[in-house]
Amino acid sequence: MTEYGRGQGSEPWHPQDPLYGDGGWEGQQAHVGRQSGYGGQPQQHYPQPHQPQYGAWSHEQQSGYDGQQYPYHEGQSQPAYDQQFVGQSQQHFHQGAWDGTGTHGPVPYAADPGDPHNQQPVAYGEQPDLYGTEDAYPPPVPPGRRRPEPEPQPEPGADEEEHAFFPGGGADGDAGEEEHELQSRRERRGKGRKPVKSRKGRTGCACMVVVLVFGGGLGGVGYFGYKFYQNRFGAAPDYAGSGNGQHVTVTINKGDGGWAIGQKLKDAGVVESAAAFVSALQANPKGKALQDGVYTMEKEMSAASAVELMLSPKSRSNLIIAEGRRNVEIYGLIDKRLEVPAGTTARVAKKEYKHLGLPSWALNHPNLKDPLEGFLYPSSYGVTKGQKPEAVLKNMVAQATAKYQELGLEKKAQTLGLDGPWQLLTVASLVQAEGTSHDDFRKMAEVVYNRLEPGNPQTAGRLEFDSTYNYVKNQSKLDLSITELRRYDNPYNTYFSKGLPPGPIDNPGEDALRGALNPTDDGWYYFISMDGKTSKFTRTLEEHNKLVEEWNASRKKN
């Protein structure tokens, strides 16, 4: 073993040494400033001739551990462990004795008889001993017990770092492999790392962006929150007063709700917002009575004023179709409302009836007086000047078709012994024409169904309704001669022809339709109206004739 593996002195390092294997170099070192030899013994001086070449080693004097030689020439670097040792002390010191003064002297060493390898260290120039000063470094650790130095952690904010054992470095020839390796690690660790100032600048910009985005988001949320609050809870925009005198016409369709009506009024310039109209409509006790139709309004009205005007009859310009009206009457009403020549709508109906929206089951029936009869459904319609007759008729037909589908005419006709919905609609028109009250309609429907039976014992399949004759004659007479009725040859005259007429004779309302769908089953065959308001029903002709006599007697008194 060479001098690098043991302490100062001439004794070899061997297992019998009392400090072999313990913490001698780490735990048994003398205190700073105390000059002692190995194990606390006084240092011995071995004279050695001075080497003429300072800092250089000969081939024979260089040896490694375990007898391995590491030859190198002058100017080459020493082995890594020697360089580390040199770096730790930052001084070139010589392996050997101390001079008792705390400095290395140029005293030549004599051969050490206890050195089995007879290796002589090279004497260095006279240098101060730093082990006794404040800047002293701990003595070197034997190679076998050396541990790799832990990588130092960079101080926060430091751009460059220095290893504690390599404060200044030295010449290129003095830099060791380990120092190069540590330096390489520092360079790899610091590669791509930007100065602290740049990171702070980048962080500041990022913070500013976050603040701007967050602030903008809060602003947007606040704005939309305000709009939501205004729409939900704030007062809706509204005009003041009862209008500016400029009139407009607004058509409200059946089924339109408050919001739809308010939107139409807003679009026409009547109210400022639909929300204001809805609020005023809900606040008015009569608001639920608002009906569809055509209304004449003024622009820039307050919502409350608009509601009041629409609830007033003077604002409505609707065309009201009553139950049981015949088409010929309705055509005349449409002409007047549209301000067109009389007969215009009737000619359009006759020419265009197949293109007005009739269902398939209402087409191609023979001997009809008017193919649209029964399809101008009784209701309120917005009809104003400027509209086309076709548009008005289409609206009425559409409403009738929807109602008939809703009531199920097509599905229930066969259960009542009828050929289809067309016959059921015809029955309803008869019920509507002959009934004098809503309570009569179910009984009247039973009379129709009973008389339609070909083998019935009372009428032999004839209906004998005065209303069918009046329809053909386009009249509404009550005093009709039986002789006249039986002689008039016409498919609609049920006194002359058996069964139902070719088609409806008026436009029945919902009550008459429901009566035809759900007749009574009490055996009624006859009926008579004694006062023109109510009807009396009987099962036999004898009972019926008695009522006829009473009615004739009452007429003579008057």
Side-chain angles (χ1 to χ4, degrees):
M1 179 173 287
T2 65
E3 291 293 328
Y4 289 98
R6 67 182 187 180
Q8 294 88 342
S10 59
E11 295 297 325
W13 189 275
H14 54 82
Q16 286 77 20
D17 190 280
L19 295 179
Y20 179 82
D22 63 5
W25 286 92
E26 296 175 1
Q28 301 296 332
Q29 289 295 326
H31 294 289
V32 177
R34 179 181 178 183
Q35 302 294 329
S36 61
Y38 173 76
Q41 300 299 325
Q43 298 181 4
Q44 301 178 15
H45 299 276
Y46 298 92
Q48 182 177 353
H50 180 69
Q51 289 287 346
Q53 295 181 355
Y54 179 80
W57 295 65
S58 64
H59 292 285
E60 292 80 12
Q61 292 168 331
Q62 293 295 329
S63 65
Y65 295 104
D66 301 326
Q68 299 180 6
Q69 299 296 324
Y70 296 89
Y72 66 98
H73 302 283
E74 181 177 359
Q76 292 182 339
S77 60
Q78 300 178 15
Y81 52 82
D82 188 34
Q83 294 181 29
Q84 178 184 6
F85 191 72
V86 172
Q88 290 174 344
S89 65
Q90 296 184 352
Q91 300 289 339
H92 292 285
F93 63 90
H94 111 310
Q95 303 287 340
W98 298 79
D99 62 358
T101 64
T103 59
H104 295 285
V107 182
Y109 282 84
D112 185 1
D115 188 349
H117 302 286
N118 194 23
Q119 299 188 20
Q120 299 297 331
V122 179
Y124 285 78
E126 184 174 353
Q127 299 180 17
D129 182 12
L130 297 180
Y131 279 96
T133 67
E134 296 179 354
D135 299 329
Y137 288 87
V141 180
R145 302 182 63 186
R146 294 176 184 171
R147 298 180 180 177
E149 295 291 338
E151 283 193 23
Q153 298 297 324
E155 296 182 3
D159 295 329
E160 299 293 338
E161 55 180 321
E162 281 188 340
H163 196 282
F165 289 97
F166 300 92
D172 293 340
D174 298 332
E177 295 179 3
E178 187 170 345
E179 180 180 3
H180 286 298
E181 182 180 355
L182 292 176
Q183 183 66 22
S184 299
R185 291 179 183 175
R186 288 195 298 271
E187 291 175 356
R188 289 195 302 270
R189 188 166 57 247
K191 186 176 181 181
R193 181 184 299 172
K194 294 183 178 180
V196 176
K197 183 176 180 180
S198 299
R199 292 198 301 270
K200 289 183 178 179
R202 181 176 59 193
T203 304
C205 292
C207 290
M208 182 174 295
V209 170
V210 170
V211 169
L212 291 176
V213 172
F214 186 68
L218 286 179
V221 170
Y223 172 77
F224 287 107
Y226 173 76
K227 295 297 289 184
F228 176 82
Y229 177 83
Q230 284 295 104
N231 292 335
R232 290 286 184 176
F233 307 106
D238 195 7
Y239 292 125
S242 57
N244 60 6
Q246 184 178 358
H247 291 84
V248 293
T249 301
V250 180
T251 301
I252 306 301
N253 299 322
K254 188 173 184 179
D256 285 347
W259 186 264
I261 298 173
Q263 192 62 46
K264 289 183 178 180
L265 294 174
K266 178 181 180 300
D267 294 341
V270 178
V271 297
E272 189 172 3
S273 67
F277 176 81
V278 171
S279 299
L281 186 64
Q282 292 175 347
N284 194 304
K286 299 179 180 179
K288 294 182 178 179
L290 186 63
Q291 298 179 3
D292 57 319
V294 179
Y295 293 85
T296 301
M297 311 292 290
E298 291 188 28
K299 287 190 174 183
E300 298 185 3
M301 301 180 69
S302 69
S305 298
V307 172
E308 288 290 341
L309 183 59
M310 294 182 76
L311 292 174
S312 173
K314 67 180 182 180
S315 69
R316 296 188 66 186
S317 53
N318 272 19
L319 175 60
I320 307 299
I321 305 300
E323 297 173 344
R325 286 286 182 99
R326 299 170 185 164
N327 280 8
V328 64
E329 298 176 76
I330 297 173
Y331 295 149
L333 294 174
I334 295 174
D335 287 343
K336 291 180 180 180
R337 185 56 60 90
L338 297 179
E339 299 183 13
V340 297
T344 301
T345 304
R347 287 192 296 270
V348 170
K350 184 177 181 179
K351 182 180 180 181
E352 302 291 338
Y353 75 94
K354 290 185 177 181
H355 308 290
L356 297 178
L358 289 173
S360 59
W361 53 264
L363 295 172
N364 305 319
H365 295 284
N367 304 319
L368 295 178
K369 181 181 179 180
D370 187 344
L372 285 182
E373 197 73 69
F375 275 89
L376 302 184
Y377 188 74
S379 183
S380 175
Y381 299 94
V383 181
T384 59
K385 181 181 178 180
Q387 287 181 287
K388 298 293 184 181
E390 294 91 337
V392 177
L393 294 174
K394 280 184 178 180
N395 188 17
M396 293 180 173
V397 171
Q399 193 158 333
T401 303
K403 176 59 67 173
Y404 300 156
Q405 184 176 3
E406 175 189 338
L407 296 176
L409 265 64
E410 191 170 0
K411 296 179 179 178
K412 297 180 180 179
Q414 292 183 355
T415 62
L416 296 169
L418 302 173
D419 291 341
W422 181 255
Q423 285 191 342
L424 181 55
L425 179 58
T426 302
V427 172
S429 70
L430 296 173
V431 171
Q432 182 74 64
E434 296 289 350
T436 55
S437 67
H438 297 301
D439 296 335
D440 291 348
F441 292 143
R442 292 187 64 208
K443 293 179 180 179
M444 192 67 69
E446 185 186 356
V447 170
V448 173
Y449 292 131
N450 287 338
R451 288 187 180 188
L452 286 177
E453 293 290 339
N456 75 78
Q458 300 295 328
T459 63
R462 286 185 172 87
L463 292 180
E464 296 184 347
F465 277 21
D466 294 354
S467 56
T468 59
Y469 178 84
N470 284 333
Y471 177 75
V472 174
K473 294 292 185 174
N474 194 25
Q475 62 186 16
S476 298
K477 293 182 178 181
L478 295 177
D479 293 332
L480 296 173
S481 167
I482 296 297
T483 303
E484 180 186 356
L485 291 173
R486 292 188 186 279
R487 287 201 303 256
Y488 184 70
D489 185 3
N490 189 284
Y492 278 90
N493 183 10
T494 56
Y495 278 90
F496 184 86
S497 301
K498 292 183 178 181
L500 291 170
I505 62 175
D506 58 37
N507 292 279
E510 184 171 350
D511 287 344
L513 289 165
R514 292 187 181 277
L517 290 168
N518 186 28
T520 58
D521 188 16
D522 298 329
W524 307 120
Y525 274 91
Y526 301 92
F527 63 92
I528 186 172
S529 177
M530 304 296 290
D531 56 4
K533 296 179 181 179
T534 59
S535 299
K536 288 186 177 182
F537 294 86
T538 56
R539 295 177 177 87
T540 64
L541 181 59
E542 292 77 10
E543 294 173 339
H544 175 68
N545 288 335
K546 289 181 181 180
L547 293 177
V548 171
E549 292 176 359
E550 291 179 10
W551 182 76
N552 289 330
S554 65
R555 289 188 63 190
K556 291 180 180 179
K557 293 180 181 180
N558 295 332

